[in-house]
Amino acid sequence: MMKSERAKFGSKLGIILATAGSAVGLGNIWRFPYMTGENGGAAFILIYIICVLFLGMPCMISEFIIGRNAAANTARSYRKLSGGTPWMVVGYLGVLTGFLITGYYLVVSGWCLEYMYASIVGHLHGDPGFFKTYFETFETDPLKPVLWALAFVAVTHFVVARGVRGGIEKASKMLMPALFILLLVIVVSSCLLPGASAGISFLFNPDFSRVDGDVFLGALGQSFYSLSIGMGCICTYASYFGRDTDMPKSAVQIGVIDSIVAVLAGLMIFPAAFSVGVNPDSGPSLLFITLPNVFQQAFGGIPAVGYVVSLAFYALLSLAALTSLISLHEVSTAFLEEELKTTRRRAAIIVTVACGIMATFCSLSLGKYDCLQLFGTPLFSIFDFFTGQILLPVGGFLTCLFVGWYLPRKLVYDEFTNRGTLHSAVFGFYMFSVRYVCPVCIILIFLHQFGII
């Protein structure tokens, strides 16, 4: 029997939108605006963009090189290029990280669906205390959050099971433009509010007096995490790249899209928040407690506008979550499909069931189930901490060392330049970044988050 040819993305636009969709997620919508507000506004944005261009991009290109050259799932790619040496563990670590992230990310994604539904039926109106009670009651409910999470993984399964071109690429070409349209609708609505200029000024007038080492490390961490580095997504998608894909150019385009979404998220949140005198919080409280209150106050005078903005916002969150979950699901699906030598649909079913079970436990751990907690910490929070604070930095660090110090320089050069000379002039800078700058920065981020430096 002839071996079937490995699936490829069908167009350059599909590559950009699918990979950008992997990078653009809930972190762009809530974490970036909050960190921007806490770290000097425009000053933080400038530092963040520099970090994306000179540190995040080299790491992304490194995963591109591994995935496209090996043309296999993340674990097999590292195993193939490492020749079976201990370096292959990095690939398995990437698959594990992506799988574990899917478990708790599905829970938050389900929350987005609940709030989109609540916006449709008109439940999101009341005083600030109402929104806090509404979220806390829903979050600890033993049934509703689980059902929404399972609904989300079912939609994700439908896309991934249809394959690379018919599922992932096709969905990305619809979801990413829709995401941008919704984002622009809310940005325009927010910026037209009375007093919105104060929020715009806050976002774009740099306050360099607040810039210190913590701000630089915060920008570094946000740039690495927002580009989906270290969780297998980039490497897996790169395995579907054609030989004509310009990887440095693609990395720049994806980084630009990711940064634009993050800045637009700031324009969506700060003008509306300043308009009603509310300071944005961080985490779930921003998305599910503060912003519903902000939208109600800001657009309460025109109910139809408030309804549209609230619905558009939670539809936006759901789309951002879906594009990221598709890539996370694909990491595990591609791994099982190739390692178990089974069909894509069967592999997708296994991943969907496993992730659904994991999401169920993570969701229930936020309720009164002590058996799903460790030292009083919910399983949900443990997954979040272990993947975000440990596995992602370790995976990114080891990937840089693998590409910068282990892989043959000629292999890296050929992949980077597409065996041409177009990017040979900046190859030296790329190698310097991957060998020295990126590993050192990742170590600094890792130590800083534990208060060691």
Side-chain angles (χ1 to χ4, degrees):
M1 177 184 287
M2 288 185 63
K3 184 179 179 181
S4 60
E5 184 180 354
R6 183 174 176 77
K8 300 287 184 185
F9 285 118
S11 65
K12 293 180 180 179
L13 178 62
I15 289 173
I16 299 302
L17 292 181
T19 313
S22 171
V24 172
L26 296 178
N28 296 74
I29 309 298
W30 65 262
R31 193 170 188 264
F32 180 85
Y34 167 73
M35 294 188 68
T36 298
E38 290 293 306
N39 294 287
F44 178 83
I45 293 176
L46 291 173
I47 296 170
Y48 169 78
I49 291 174
I50 291 172
C51 290
V52 167
L53 290 174
F54 296 102
L55 298 171
M57 301 264 180
C59 289
M60 178 180 286
I61 293 171
S62 297
E63 293 203 33
F64 281 172
I65 288 171
I66 294 168
R68 186 175 72 173
N69 184 272
N73 69 76
T74 299
R76 182 173 292 190
S77 292
Y78 280 86
R79 188 169 74 238
K80 180 178 178 180
L81 293 178
S82 70
T85 65
W87 281 108
M88 68 179 181
V89 174
V90 182
Y92 289 96
L93 182 67
V95 175
L96 175 64
T97 302
F99 176 69
L100 294 179
I101 288 175
T102 309
Y104 75 85
Y105 202 92
L106 274 169
V107 177
V108 183
S109 302
W111 295 349
C112 297
L113 284 183
E114 158 68 19
Y115 272 67
M116 188 168 72
Y117 167 76
S119 298
I120 293 174
V121 298
H123 286 172
L124 297 182
H125 54 82
D127 57 31
F130 164 81
F131 292 108
K132 182 177 181 182
T133 301
Y134 185 92
F135 176 69
E136 291 176 348
T137 302
F138 167 72
E139 179 189 34
T140 56
D141 189 283
L143 184 61
K144 288 174 66 176
V146 172
L147 293 178
W148 284 122
L150 295 179
F152 219 109
V153 77
V155 174
T156 306
H157 171 86
F158 175 78
V159 174
V160 173
R162 294 173 68 87
V164 175
R165 290 194 187 184
I168 297 172
E169 182 173 356
K170 188 174 181 179
S172 299
K173 287 181 176 180
M174 293 187 294
L175 296 175
M176 289 303 291
L179 187 151
F180 267 99
I181 291 171
L182 289 173
L183 185 54
L184 290 173
V185 167
I186 306 173
V187 167
V188 171
S189 301
S190 181
C191 290
L192 290 177
L193 290 170
S197 58
I200 298 173
S201 176
F202 176 78
L203 187 64
F204 290 117
N205 284 339
D207 181 4
F208 290 106
S209 66
R210 298 172 65 179
V211 176
D212 55 18
D214 288 345
V215 173
F216 275 95
L217 289 172
L220 270 171
Q222 178 66 15
S223 68
F224 276 74
Y225 301 147
S226 70
L227 293 174
S228 298
I229 293 168
M231 59 183 74
C233 301
I234 301 298
C235 184
T236 300
Y237 274 12
S239 70
Y240 305 131
F241 287 3
R243 289 305 316 174
D244 60 339
T245 302
D246 187 326
M247 293 194 292
K249 182 179 178 180
S250 297
V252 170
Q253 292 169 331
I254 293 162
V256 168
I257 292 174
D258 187 71
S259 299
I260 288 175
V261 170
V263 173
L264 286 177
L267 278 173
M268 172 181 66
I269 292 172
F270 283 112
F274 272 71
S275 174
V276 296
V278 174
N279 290 321
D281 307 30
S282 64
S285 61
L286 171 64
L287 296 184
F288 305 107
I289 299 175
T290 305
L291 286 179
N293 179 41
V294 166
F295 290 147
Q296 176 181 276
Q297 292 186 51
F299 301 101
I302 311 177
V305 175
Y307 172 84
V308 170
V309 171
S310 180
L311 176 58
F313 177 71
Y314 288 107
L316 166 69
L317 288 180
S318 299
L319 290 180
L322 180 58
T323 56
S324 294
L325 278 170
I326 289 171
S327 65
L328 287 166
H329 195 295
E330 176 63 16
V331 172
S332 298
T333 299
F335 172 75
L336 292 182
E337 180 184 7
E338 295 175 14
E339 300 306 311
L340 299 182
K341 295 181 172 54
T342 187
T343 65
R344 165 170 282 271
R345 291 186 180 276
R346 188 172 298 167
I349 289 173
I350 295 172
V351 174
T352 297
V353 171
C355 289
I357 293 172
M358 190 163 46
T360 299
F361 286 142
C362 284
S363 180
L364 292 175
S365 72
L366 296 172
K368 299 179 181 179
Y369 296 90
D370 294 337
C371 60
L372 296 176
Q373 298 182 358
L374 183 63
F375 303 113
T377 302
L379 186 64
F380 174 94
S381 301
I382 293 173
F383 273 44
D384 185 12
F385 173 81
F386 184 59
T387 56
Q389 310 302 316
I390 298 178
L391 293 184
L392 285 180
V394 170
F397 176 76
L398 293 175
T399 295
C400 289
L401 296 184
F402 181 67
V403 174
W405 294 99
Y406 181 83
L407 290 183
R409 186 181 178 90
K410 186 177 185 306
L411 181 153
V412 178
Y413 177 83
D414 287 344
E415 290 291 338
F416 185 89
T417 62
N418 266 12
R419 295 182 172 84
T421 59
L422 183 61
H423 299 293
S424 59
V426 294
F427 177 73
F429 168 77
Y430 161 75
M431 285 300 293
F432 179 79
S433 295
V434 171
R435 282 187 164 188
Y436 303 104
V437 181
C438 292
V440 170
C441 289
I442 294 174
I443 289 176
L444 290 176
I445 296 170
F446 189 78
L447 296 179
H448 177 72
Q449 67 189 4
F450 291 106
I452 299 176
I453 60 172

